[in-house]
Amino acid sequence: MILVLFGPPASGKGTQAARIKVRHAIAHLSTGDMLRAAIAEGTEIGKKAKAIMDEGKLVPDDVVIGIIADRITQADCTKGFVLDGFPRTLNQASALDAMLKAKALSVTHVIVMDVNEAELIKRVENRAAEARRKGDPVRPDDDPETFKKRLGVYKAETAPILPYYEKQGKIRRVDGMKPVDDVTAQIDAVLTGPAPRKSWFR
Ligand code: AP5
């Protein structure tokens, strides 16, 4: 099973991907987490990515495609994986299809988390407040102005991928406004239900 969790920043992709990993025994691949780890380790990729991420922009396609191409060859990916935050551009989506095709694999479902903008802003404010309460660092890109830029980038560069997956009949939508357990139950229903049919407007 190869899943893409798709949605705007703070829609709950990371929260649900962590649960899918445990419930369905597949690997969780978050490009955001991998890039933050590279920054923390001070690698070349981390040095390139830091300023871009802090500004709320997208890291270049070749960097993230390379990260995912390497990562999916690791042993924990043989039973499947859930992608959280990748692909984010049409280039990334077609590169993913090409790398999977080379292994005779394909994306099983693209699960789209629908959450409105007011709720996204509330969630990111809550996350920043929670970090401050615990004395943890706040994610630099959770700053309100940067978060607005991230939303703009999502609308301009990432949401336009959806028709690509619509044509493949891969899209399954869940109501991401519901409480965490409820969203998990909706995703479980997708994963145990019938495979998606081809889109009617293909
Ligand atoms: P990334 O780390 O992927 O960030 P994001 O997509 O903006 O998403 P978040 O991590 O903010 O949110 P999420 O949807 O995972 O929600 P979460 O579960 O955390 O990327 C960061 C940056 O890295 C990018 O801006 C870019 O620069 C770079 N990057 C990464 N991938 C890239 C790529 N492929 N190409 C180029 N650049 C890339 O939840 C958010 C909050 O809400 C949490 O506090 C959570 O507890 C809470 N919450 C979750 N679900 C619910 C719920 N149902 N009800 C109430 N609260 C909830």
Side-chain angles (χ1 to χ4, degrees):
M1 180 161 62
I2 297 171
L3 304 175
V4 172
L5 270 194
F6 196 96
S11 54
K13 301 182 297 294
T15 303
Q16 295 301 329
R19 289 178 166 214
I20 291 170
K21 172 184 172 166
V22 174
R23 293 165 87 86
H24 300 278
I26 59 177
H28 172 190
L29 276 47
S30 158
T31 39
D33 286 349
M34 291 185 247
L35 290 166
R36 281 184 288 276
I39 292 172
E41 288 161 20
T43 66
E44 280 311 307
I45 285 181
K47 283 178 199 158
K48 263 195 217 163
K50 179 162 176 31
I52 300 171
M53 290 171 75
D54 286 356
E55 277 187 63
K57 295 181 182 163
L58 293 184
V59 172
D61 284 342
D62 59 330
V63 173
V64 284
I65 290 167
I67 290 175
I68 289 296
D70 275 357
R71 184 64 185 85
I72 65 172
T73 63
Q74 292 176 17
D76 64 334
C77 290
T78 46
K79 284 192 188 152
F81 46 89
V82 51
L83 290 159
D84 156 15
F86 183 95
R88 265 174 145 102
T89 63
L90 211 43
N91 255 344
Q92 292 178 23
S94 54
L96 174 65
D97 275 353
M99 66 180 93
L100 293 177
K101 198 174 171 193
K103 295 172 184 290
L105 296 170
S106 63
V107 169
T108 316
H109 301 286
V110 176
I111 299 172
V112 180
M113 321 265 298
D114 286 319
V115 179
N116 71 35
E117 207 160 306
E119 175 68 14
L120 296 172
I121 291 169
K122 199 168 89 188
R123 286 185 189 178
V124 90
E125 284 170 354
N126 287 346
R127 178 161 66 188
E130 182 66 18
R132 277 189 213 100
R133 236 190 331 271
K134 289 186 184 159
D136 291 340
V138 174
R139 254 173 71 168
D141 59 348
D142 276 354
D143 152 85
E145 281 311 306
T146 312
F147 190 70
K148 276 188 208 148
K149 279 195 207 156
R150 287 163 62 196
L151 281 175
V153 167
Y154 174 78
K155 286 178 201 163
E157 299 184 51
T158 303
I161 304 176
L162 286 172
Y164 174 86
Y165 284 123
E166 278 284 2
K167 279 192 200 134
Q168 297 184 9
K170 299 274 166 84
I171 302 272
R172 306 303 300 262
R173 290 191 174 270
V174 298
D175 181 357
M177 298 287 289
K178 299 279 190 225
V180 172
D181 285 349
D182 198 323
V183 180
T184 304
Q186 292 178 61
I187 293 173
D188 278 348
V190 168
L191 302 187
T192 55
R197 287 194 312 207
K198 293 273 185 216
S199 166
W200 55 269
F201 57 82
R202 187 169 188 195

